[in-house]
Amino acid sequence: MLFGRNVKNPVKMADKGVVKWTYSTCGYCSTGCSIEIGSNAAGKPVSTRGVGGADVNRGKLCLKGIFEYQVFEAPGRGEKPMMRNGIHEPYRSVNWDQALDKMASEIKRIQRSYGRDSFAIVSTGQLLTEEFYTLGKLARGVIGSNNYDGNTTLCMASAVSGYKRSFGSDGPPGCYEDFEHTDCLIAWGSNLPEQHPIIYWRLKEALEKRKFPLIVVDPRVTMLAQFADIHLAITPGTDVVLQNALIHVILAEGLEDRDYIDENTTGFEELAAEVQNYDPETASKLCGIDAETIRTVARYYAKADRAMSIWTMGINQSTHGSDGVVGINNLNLVTGNIGKPGGTSLSITGQCNAMGTREWSSCSGLPGYRVLEKPEEREEIAKFWGVDPEFFPKQRGLTETDIFPAIEAGDIKGLWLVATNPMTSMPNTDRIRKTLEKLECLVVQDCYADAESNQYAHIFLPAATWAEKEGVFTNTERRVNITRQVKAPYADSKSDLEIFNLLAKRFEQGQKIEFPERPSEVFEEMKQLSKGRLCDISGMSHDLIEQKRGIQWPYTEDQAKRGEKGAQRLYTEPRSFRYKDGRAKLIPLPFINDNEVPDEEYPFWLNSGRLVEHWHTRTKTGKIGNNNKFSPIPFMEMNPEAAEELGIRHQTYARAVSRRGDAVVMVMLTQRVPKNMVFIPFHFFDCVNRLTLGLLDPHSRQPAFKQQAVRIETVDQDVAARMNKASRNY
Ligand code: SF4
């Protein structure tokens, strides 16, 4: 007798005629899944599959990775360079020489007329690391504008800032394998199943092998919160209060790791004095978590042999984002949970190469985690590149979120956007629209010509995407992995590396500096500059990276000679932090509530976040049928009780209104949000970011996307449906 699957029809996979599989790394999120792209006999990518022997994903992919082969020929790809004199004129196609000559002459004209910093550059977390390094060389060493940043300021800037303040350097200390060793895990504002599905699968697998408490801090009952042992539905923007209260309990009950604190930290007395103000009862009134639960969580965390915290945008996208990261580090330092298996702080990064831009793009300084503020580091890079050290500014310029106000103020006249789409991603997009309209020259370099920001550009440069080029990404756990080229760039597009190199040659200084053409040659330069740095990659090569399915940094030449693995963790030795004395800083965090909070006129918290089907501003996933069909339109999660009071029904349209603007969205009634909160995904154009305020964190300059106030109104359903249909007809 046949049982089970033997009596069922076997699942038949369509034969796509794959004749070759090419190794690559997923180009969406920072999980860093190893992926193979299948090409047919004509060389066309027709399939993608996970790589079984890769440690990160062990053969698995999420929905985005599974259909990623479709990005190459998705509608809207940029085919040819385009130019126009004014943004109300139609574009005309031009050749590359015409576009780049015009771009170079506009940069020179603007810098001559208004000063070097009047031309700004904003890039992304999506380029290959070799491209980031080259863009940094061009921006810092040739164009010489100090107003150069990446869109990672919208995403990971608070993590960078918090790591630097606590440990003396950026660089996540932990890794995914820590899930398999930990005895208690707190996820702060991190909805892994939707944001990073494969990291979630690693966590779940670890939980199935060895049960440990999973505690989720999130104002919303997210998918991860539904799986948690304890869900702390915190009042938005008050994570620092909860962190201080947890440390208060730990110190009051003598649960701290005194030996670790004495050996490895400074600032304990100041921190202890500050947390005195946050007894659980007082903290409860501010953060909305009852006092007994605060005590319980503090005991679980401190009594665990090994405890770890992970976090994502729920911490970073806040006016207290950097403090929230420092608060997590404080908690781990007082409990001795840094640098040991299962005991760590681990930021779950956003874009596939947000880490690569942090390490090598020179956005916030100079390559290899060097800073402009140190003369010896300016000298070192100037000598290596062959430029005058005096050409470099002596401190960092404006971040992305300060560049747009500087355009408004008339200080910046030209802007180059590289693979970023602020018309959808920045807070208060109506203001961004007016800002972009003021520019004398806007250049958009993107794989997709229909990225919304391109409506305001004078020059469009079509870029190759993902595996149309070759180079490396660094993932959340510092693993450098390679993308191999599977096909030539689409139509007349070029790799970002080639575009940077061609532009460099149009400047006198760019002709004197060497700009290698091949990604492997650029990687060799980076290796030399990395020697002795925290992010040392000198033992790596493109081939070795592919062979090992990714290598974690630091990875020195000696480690390579000994055939070792890359470093799984940082700060494993006593006093190995990056401050001169080797100690981490415990930093007191007084809490001042400076968010926009609900009131009578705007009674709901507005929260925003991601969906599993989509990637950022949908320039890619909005065109891929199997991603888009599950989430084709924006929607708003609303609590049924609140909706009933306003006469709003499930699956009808409603208008969310803030002090900045409004957005009409379909209502989804759910208990996932409390009665005084609504949630809208952030991926859609002309939607949630018409409402957001985007107050900035004082340390990281990252916007608070998740804490603002709105009111909800009913709308004429027929009009709303027509508007919605029209907005989808691109
Ligand atoms: Fe790609 Fe991230 Fe999905 Fe992995 S989890 S397949 S890296 S989008």
Side-chain angles (χ1 to χ4, degrees), residues 403-412 431-432 434-435 438:
I403 283 172
F404 287 92
I407 297 169
E408 251 179 0
D411 296 335
I412 290 175
R431 187 172 164 192
I432 297 299
K434 289 175 195 145
T435 305
K438 285 192 72 168

Side-chain angles (χ1 to χ4, degrees), residues 107 110-112 114-121 139-140 143-148 391 393 395-398 403 406-407 411-414:
I107 295 172
I110 287 170
Q111 290 189 314
R112 215 172 29 242
Y114 308 105
R116 235 164 61 178
D117 293 340
S118 62
F119 188 86
I121 304 164
R140 294 269 177 231
I143 297 174
S145 172
N146 198 14
N147 293 327
Y148 161 50
F391 190 68
Q395 59 182 34
R396 183 187 178 172
L398 298 177
I403 283 172
I407 297 169
D411 296 335
I412 290 175
K413 304 287 188 184

Side-chain angles (χ1 to χ4, degrees), residues 25-35 50 56-57 60-68 176 192 194-200 350 352 466 475 612 614-615:
T25 307
C26 177
Y28 283 115
C29 89
S30 74
T31 302
C33 294
S34 290
I35 197 167
V56 167
N57 52 317
K60 293 191 168 41
L61 295 176
C62 81
L63 184 68
K64 290 189 282 292
I66 287 169
F67 297 109
E68 199 165 0
Y176 305 151
L192 285 181
E194 292 234 36
Q195 298 159 353
H196 301 87
I198 301 301
I199 302 182
Y200 168 64
C352 57
W466 188 39
N475 80 349
V612 68
H614 282 303
W615 181 249

